[in-house]
Amino acid sequence: MGEGDPTPLGYVRTPTAGPADLSFEDGRPLLAGQAADLPLTAADVVPLRPCDGVRVRWPRGRAGVLETIHALAAAGVPVHAEDVPAWVKEADPDLAGLLASWAPAPRAETPRSVSDLRREEHSLRLRRHALRRGPAAATPKVSVVMSSKRPHLLGSALAQIARQRHVEVEVLLGLHGVPASHEDVRRAIAAFPSPITVVEADEATPFGEVLHQVAARASGDDIAKWDDDDWYSPEHLSDLLLARAYSGADIVGTAAEFFYLEPLNVTVRRTDYTSEIWSDHVAGGTIFLARAKYQETGGFEGVSRGVDAQLLKTAHAAGARIYRTQGLGYVLRRSLASGHTWQLPLAHFLRVATNQWRGFRPSRILETP
């Protein structure tokens, strides 16, 4: 994208203003009553950020209409419309369906936490559509790096990698104190349809060293960190590729928002980590960067804990730009603290949660069966 083009940078998760209108006058867009020139710029989108939604008021003419809507969609502005004209359905049927699929919920009828989440899901679907328009590019090859000492989780982890869309994947799997002959390991690998390289390391090898050993065997253009116990949407990797494209960042990752507290059978959402923002921190299980940049920064260090944080700290100190995108398609599993390298008690996640639900309750973006 060109400098100054509208992007999701600055998306406001919780709106503070009511709905606004997008209308047209002589082919010129009026954004909440303010005239704008085409093509739209990032500055044009700023006044719309706090709005609950932006409704399209269809003009009689067609000039500038789709160009404006596509630009707003690429920025994640929650655009919606009723009675979408036939010419829009013919020109861009997917966009027409998206515009009619959502509208701001009446605040008195829907909990704020739910309405804000539905709004952000709509925003993400719009931006995916708009940002993927144009000539089809070559399918990127991503090397997914994962270390595991829990063979019973490998089947689920590899199945989620296998369902990734818009990318070609290979897996570099480090077995940390687990033999490749383990029945769960053999079964999971046999069911995986893409290339997979397995490296065995004994239990005494530091976690970071295991990751570094497997990442050294990557052949893809990009490296993605993957945690064996978490949940990822089918467009997790392609969302990160989009975020890097519109941000120009060296490293991208998601916000850590949704947590499933397994012993309590509770899902919580924390929103204190702002998304669509430049930062020095992203969720460790979602770190994504070019293989060349990984090699340049030295990669994972041979430590047992804080591996992800150390990589981000080292890269940031070396001048790498880090961008944190939305976290709707990622859920972290938390069991007892002793089972994680990131050792925090379950009470901590209850304390920092903005929302709490009984059972496994991810965003719809996760596309759980």
Side-chain angles (χ1 to χ4, degrees):
M1 301 186 70
E3 187 175 350
D5 288 343
T7 76
L9 176 65
Y11 176 82
V12 174
R13 180 186 283 138
T14 300
T16 56
D21 284 342
L22 163 64
S23 57
F24 296 85
E25 188 174 276
D26 299 326
R28 190 181 186 192
L30 300 176
L31 307 175
Q34 299 297 311
D37 293 317
L38 293 175
L40 294 185
T41 67
D44 292 323
V45 173
V46 172
L48 300 177
R49 289 296 186 201
C51 297
D52 201 8
V54 174
R55 178 173 53 180
V56 181
R57 299 289 194 179
W58 299 106
R60 292 188 178 183
R62 305 181 184 185
V65 175
L66 284 184
E67 180 183 353
T68 302
I69 295 174
H70 285 142
L72 294 177
V77 174
V79 189
H80 63 101
E82 301 171 357
D83 303 320
V84 179
W87 72 266
V88 176
K89 296 177 182 177
E90 182 178 348
D92 193 337
D94 291 336
L95 177 65
L98 286 170
L99 292 174
S101 68
W102 174 89
R107 291 299 182 192
E109 300 176 12
T110 308
R112 185 62 183 261
S113 60
V114 175
S115 62
D116 286 351
L117 178 56
R118 298 287 93 90
R119 174 180 178 269
E120 189 169 358
E121 290 166 348
H122 179 63
S123 163
L124 176 55
R125 293 184 181 110
L126 281 172
R127 70 184 79 161
R128 282 173 174 172
H129 173 74
L131 292 168
R132 289 184 182 136
R133 292 176 62 249
T139 302
K141 182 178 180 180
V142 178
S143 298
V144 178
V145 172
M146 178 170 62
S147 172
S148 180
K149 57 174 59 178
R150 295 168 288 204
H152 65 285
L153 294 177
L154 280 179
S156 171
L158 290 176
Q160 291 184 76
I161 297 172
R163 71 175 188 152
Q164 294 298 297
R165 302 180 190 133
H166 312 297
V167 294
E168 176 188 350
V169 297
E170 67 168 1
V171 168
L172 295 313
L173 172 63
L175 295 175
H176 198 182
V178 177
S181 59
H182 191 288
E183 179 60 26
D184 289 342
V185 175
R186 291 194 295 109
R187 187 183 301 114
I189 291 174
F192 187 67
S194 299
I196 183 167
T197 299
V198 177
V199 175
E200 294 180 86
D202 60 44
E203 194 171 358
T205 305
F207 177 47
E209 179 58 31
V210 178
L211 287 173
H212 191 61
Q213 287 181 20
V214 296
R217 291 162 170 78
S219 64
D221 298 320
D222 300 296
I223 287 179
K225 167 81 181 322
W226 199 280
D227 284 351
D228 63 354
D229 56 342
D230 295 336
W231 291 271
Y232 299 79
S233 86
E235 302 204 19
H236 169 72
L237 293 176
S238 58
D239 281 343
L240 293 177
L241 281 160
L242 285 180
R244 185 177 63 185
Y246 63 69
S247 68
D250 298 303
I251 299 175
V252 294
T254 79
E257 295 185 33
F258 286 86
F259 294 79
Y260 176 60
L261 310 183
E262 194 169 39
L264 305 178
N265 190 28
V266 166
T267 301
V268 300
R269 186 187 187 195
R270 59 183 301 179
T271 56
D272 50 334
Y273 284 128
T274 306
S275 59
E276 303 304 336
I277 191 172
W278 293 102
S279 178
D280 60 357
H281 173 75
V282 299
T286 69
I287 293 172
F288 185 95
L289 71 168
R291 181 160 58 98
K293 178 60 68 173
Y294 175 86
Q295 294 167 341
E296 178 186 320
T297 57
F300 296 106
E301 299 185 24
V303 295
S304 297
R305 297 191 184 279
V307 176
D308 305 325
Q310 188 60 49
L311 183 147
L312 293 170
K313 181 179 178 181
T314 301
H316 191 256
R321 303 180 75 207
I322 302 172
Y323 186 85
R324 187 165 67 224
T325 188
Q326 51 77 29
L328 300 187
Y330 179 56
V331 179
L332 294 92
R333 184 199 309 254
R334 296 297 304 189
S335 54
L336 300 177
S338 59
H340 299 272
T341 56
W342 182 25
Q343 291 197 327
L344 287 171
L346 296 178
H348 165 80
F349 298 97
L350 294 173
R351 245 188 341 263
V352 300
T354 308
N355 311 116
Q356 183 179 141
W357 301 276
R358 173 64 59 184
F360 184 67
R361 294 282 299 277
S363 158
R364 291 173 179 173
I365 295 300
L366 197 70
E367 299 184 41
T368 50

